[in-house]
Amino acid sequence: MIDSCAAGQAGIETCNGIDDDCDGQIDNGIAAVPTTCGVGACASTGSITCQGAQLVDSCTAGQAGVETCNGIDDDCDGQIDNG
């Protein structure tokens, strides 16, 4: 644990492996941020969280399929019912 605290120097906690806010805990209280990834049928959601002093995005896009005439971007290329 890195102690960055000196009297009167408490700061805002950031995801960096340091106790920035001087409360005795490292990288605590950092809110998850919602994310999206992928397009069409591959669209998904996730969140960015602080893990091991690094910001990690849990969003994983789905697998592309064969394009069919159904009003959905099945092959995840950003175009609906093409090809």
Side-chain angles (χ1 to χ4, degrees), residues 10-54:
I12 296 171
E13 193 71 57
T14 58
C15 186
N16 60 5
I18 298 171
D19 179 18
D20 299 299
D21 62 3
C22 301
D23 68 354
Q25 297 179 329
I26 297 171
D27 296 341
N28 64 308
I30 300 171
V33 177
T35 61
T36 58
C37 60
V39 295
C42 298
S44 186
T45 60
S47 62
I48 296 174
T49 57
C50 181
Q51 298 176 16
Q54 294 185 353

Side-chain angles (χ1 to χ4, degrees), residues 3 13-14 22 34 38 43 55-57 59 61 64-65 73 76 79-80:
D3 186 3
E13 193 71 57
T14 58
C22 301
L55 294 174
V56 177
D57 190 347
C59 192
D73 177 15
C76 307
Q79 297 178 354
I80 297 172

